[in-house]
Amino acid sequence: MGIPEKNIYIEKQSGKDFDRPQYKKLLRKLKKDDLLYIKSIDRLGRNYAEILEQWRFLTKEKGIDIAVLDMPLLDTRRGKDLLGAFLSDIVLQVLSFVAENERANIRQRQAEGIAAAKAKGVRFGRPPEPLPENFPSVYRRWKKGEITGTAAAKECKMPLSTFRYRAEIYRKGKLL
């Protein structure tokens, strides 16, 4: 499209909302009568109502034109008459709905994938650190009330919350 590199904004963050650094930076740079190219409407956002709100903000309040590259019907430079605006609005609403629906599908598939992996015994997150060598003896003293949880955690060189969490796992392991 012959757009200078400095005028290209690439967002690494999800399009679930418009609270994105590159999008905010773009908004600050846009001036009346600028032309904004968007690769695809789902690159603008994934929330139906917010896409429509942002589209109207950009075109009406900011006074810019928008051209969606993969959907030529969504080009505000064309069809400035009532029929053109009507067609643009219909296409925008349909595509915004599709974008939000796709986001919902992605989240559903992600949740299903996570559930299936957990059912197979896959563990998420980083593996736990091994317990310090002194943990069993410190744990016993703590359980007997000889030392406080804070003192026990300090002896094991871990935060109190971690000590309590690991103590509960240790206790359950001892019962098995």
Side-chain angles (χ1 to χ4, degrees):
M1 302 300 303
I3 300 168
E5 190 76 28
K6 67 180 179 110
N7 292 341
I8 296 176
Y9 294 83
I10 299 172
E11 195 72 65
K12 301 285 185 205
Q13 200 168 328
S14 165
K16 69 179 180 170
D17 60 36
F18 287 88
D19 188 25
R20 306 185 312 253
Q22 288 294 309
Y23 184 71
K24 287 178 176 180
K25 190 174 172 183
L26 169 71
L27 285 181
R28 287 191 300 270
K29 294 271 185 166
L30 287 171
K31 300 178 298 300
K32 184 172 174 32
D33 297 326
D34 279 351
L35 172 60
L36 173 62
Y37 285 104
I38 300 172
K39 182 182 184 308
S40 175
I41 198 68
D42 67 341
R43 299 296 86 210
L44 179 62
R46 295 277 176 119
N47 179 300
Y48 177 76
E50 287 184 3
I51 291 172
L52 297 177
E53 180 184 322
Q54 285 299 309
W55 186 276
R56 285 187 177 79
F57 170 74
L58 292 168
T59 58
K60 304 288 189 262
E61 291 182 37
K62 281 273 200 190
I64 67 161
D65 278 314
I66 301 175
V68 179
L69 298 176
D70 71 350
M71 183 54 61
L73 283 172
L74 287 177
D75 188 336
T76 59
R77 296 171 298 175
R78 295 191 190 113
K80 295 271 187 187
D81 61 347
L82 188 59
L83 180 61
F86 174 71
L87 287 175
S88 242
D89 278 355
I90 289 173
V91 171
L92 176 63
Q93 289 193 24
V94 168
L95 292 178
S96 299
F97 171 79
V98 169
E100 182 168 340
N101 197 43
E102 177 58 17
R103 177 165 165 67
N105 288 340
I106 288 169
R107 293 183 73 173
Q108 176 66 32
R109 288 191 298 266
Q110 180 185 34
E112 289 169 359
I114 290 170
K118 284 183 176 181
K120 289 180 182 175
V122 174
R123 287 185 39 101
F124 291 88
R126 80 177 171 211
E129 294 285 323
L131 288 174
E133 286 184 30
N134 66 343
F135 190 87
S137 63
V138 172
Y139 172 81
R140 281 191 296 279
R141 289 178 27 231
W142 172 68
K143 283 307 269 183
K144 288 180 183 175
E146 295 173 7
I147 58 173
T148 66
T150 304
K154 192 176 267 185
E155 280 188 46
C156 292
K157 296 183 175 75
M158 60 178 62
L160 177 58
S161 59
T162 303
F163 177 79
R164 287 182 177 151
Y165 174 74
R166 300 296 296 271
E168 182 62 20
I169 293 171
Y170 185 78
R171 181 188 67 80
K172 286 179 181 174
K174 295 288 257 181
L175 295 175
L176 300 175

